[in-house]
Amino acid sequence: QVQLEESGGGLVQPGGSLNLSCVGSGSIKIYGMGWHRQAPGKERELVADINTMNIKKYADSVKGRFTISRDNAKNTVYLQMNSLQPEDTAVYYCNAGYDYGGVVRPSSNWGQGTQVTVSS
């Protein structure tokens, strides 16, 4: 299976932006890709996913602020995060999942995560 490596996290003030990247060790074109996050004391939750046909889905909490995209030629999926708020603070994980007829289902294939902290 493809190995995943996230980058781009950090500390940002409320209202700021970050762009996360997830690079695969091989081709990601057959995978439904997703970004998930886990805040302290909370369960991991879906942030956004993108299927093999570039159809995107977002959690209600990030709609209009976050954008997921993929570049199969670079084996990379991105998460552009704008208007960040303290409640967006979490470890963000990339997942290479399954595309079942256009519906993305996460697999056990996770990256190591990247910390995003939104604080003044």
Side-chain angles (χ1 to χ4, degrees):
Q1 62 184 9
V2 66
Q3 305 299 311
L4 304 171
E5 183 171 359
E6 302 97 334
S7 62
L11 173 64
V12 63
Q13 292 186 342
S17 298
L18 286 173
N19 189 25
L20 306 184
S21 299
C22 171
V23 181
S25 60
S27 176
I28 65 166
K29 66 180 180 180
I30 65 170
Y31 296 100
M33 300 298 296
W35 284 99
H36 301 245
R37 67 186 181 187
Q38 188 166 17
K42 295 187 176 181
E43 293 188 354
R44 193 171 298 188
E45 63 176 0
L46 174 70
V47 176
D49 64 36
I50 182 168
N51 70 11
T52 57
M53 298 300 290
N54 273 329
I55 296 174
K56 306 166 186 181
K57 183 177 71 180
Y58 297 94
D60 288 343
S61 59
V62 307
K63 282 180 181 176
R65 300 188 299 124
F66 291 10
T67 302
I68 189 171
S69 61
R70 65 191 297 162
D71 186 340
N72 290 338
K74 295 182 178 180
N75 299 328
T76 302
V77 62
Y78 304 96
L79 186 68
Q80 176 65 43
M81 305 187 295
N82 299 327
S83 302
L84 283 160
Q85 300 301 317
E87 53 265 34
D88 296 315
T89 296
V91 179
Y92 284 70
Y93 297 91
C94 179
N95 183 271
Y98 307 102
D99 186 334
Y100 290 128
V103 178
V104 177
R105 291 285 182 255
S107 72
S108 60
N109 189 3
W110 299 94
Q112 84 288 350
T114 185
Q115 175 71 46
V116 171
T117 302
V118 185
S119 175
S120 54

